[in-house]
Amino acid sequence: MTSAAESKQPARRGRPGYDQETVLRRAIELFNRQGYEASSIGDLAKELGLTKSAIYHHVSSKEALLSAALDEALDGLSAAVDTATRSDSGEDAYARLRTVIQGSVRILVDHLPAVTLLLRVRGNGEVELAALKRRRAIDDRLAALVQDAVDQGALRSDIPPDLISRLLFGMVNSLTEWYRPGGPVDADVLATSIATLAFDGLATPKSSERLAR
């Protein structure tokens, strides 16, 4: 017998074995490999072994796929910032900044293809422009958090806060160039290592003493 909850769910459209999530995953792979502008719905259909009309059972357009992919990355990054900057966290700006660095690494690892696509956006078209606007808003919040940490005396003040923010998150974003899920580096170890490197540096106490002489 079918439950009331099940009866309210819309029937899956398109060919058996392919749902909207599968189509989106394969589209992101295609866009990253071939470039969004150089990819077509026909290319995606060929990747999936479907007709173009079958693809349109799942999505309305190529732009809709791009929008969903970019929203996936941006929603994750926004959530990481929200978690680190919520007013009831009880942590100072320095601790919250470390938290958002680690959270951003985990989002990047969990949504690597979508974040990779986001970082390649250049503002070609309304979908990309909207994504860039959202990304700038996130960057502004991060820069403000860096400024708070500087104002509290937790970070050095001889480097402009906006430059600190760019350098910190530039390091996080560079993971898209070499990190591969399932490799020898665990995501939690990676997040902790990047935060440690960024905030504590590489020098041992003996090295610091030697430089101070």
Side-chain angles (χ1 to χ4, degrees):
M1 180 179 294
T2 302
S3 68
E6 291 174 335
S7 66
K8 293 180 181 179
Q9 295 179 355
R12 177 181 294 178
R13 303 173 67 193
R15 292 187 180 184
Y18 289 104
D19 56 16
Q20 191 171 28
E21 181 65 17
T22 301
V23 172
L24 177 59
R25 293 301 119 209
R26 296 293 289 274
I28 294 173
E29 292 174 7
L30 177 65
F31 296 160
N32 279 329
R33 184 177 72 249
Q34 191 167 293
Y36 173 74
E37 297 294 339
S39 302
S40 67
I41 290 294
D43 294 328
L44 181 58
K46 188 179 297 184
E47 289 267 325
L48 292 167
L50 300 174
T51 63
K52 289 173 65 174
S53 60
I55 296 292
Y56 286 119
H57 277 290
H58 297 287
V59 294
S60 59
S61 64
K62 186 177 79 164
E63 289 77 13
L65 285 167
L66 178 63
S67 180
L70 298 180
D71 281 346
E72 176 188 327
L74 288 162
D75 289 348
L77 294 171
S78 293
V81 176
D82 289 342
T83 298
T85 59
R86 68 180 190 273
S87 59
D88 63 345
S89 66
E91 296 182 325
D92 60 20
Y94 178 81
R96 285 184 281 131
L97 187 58
R98 288 190 73 129
T99 296
V100 79
I101 288 287
Q102 292 176 299
S104 296
V105 172
R106 293 188 179 96
I107 291 298
L108 186 146
V109 169
D110 291 342
H111 303 275
L112 183 60
V115 175
T116 299
L117 186 60
L118 172 64
L119 295 178
R120 294 177 179 176
V121 162
R122 293 296 177 267
N124 299 320
E126 292 183 5
V127 171
E128 292 193 10
L129 287 171
L132 286 178
K133 183 177 180 180
R134 286 190 67 188
R135 185 179 170 191
R136 281 193 295 270
I138 293 172
D139 290 343
D140 289 345
R141 294 178 65 190
L142 294 171
L145 187 55
V146 171
Q147 181 67 67
D148 287 345
V150 171
D151 292 343
Q152 292 174 6
L155 295 181
R156 56 193 301 165
S157 59
D158 58 330
I159 301 176
D162 61 334
L163 179 56
I164 293 175
S165 180
R166 286 179 179 274
L167 291 172
L168 284 175
F169 292 95
M171 179 166 57
V172 173
N173 293 339
S174 71
L175 296 178
T176 60
E177 300 298 327
W178 63 268
Y179 181 79
R180 295 295 176 267
V185 182
D186 177 78
D188 288 335
V189 171
L190 183 63
T192 301
S193 298
I194 287 179
T196 300
L197 174 60
F199 293 100
D200 302 332
L202 289 174
T204 64
K206 289 185 178 179
S207 298
S208 298
E209 291 173 5
R210 187 163 57 248
L211 288 172
R213 291 172 186 170

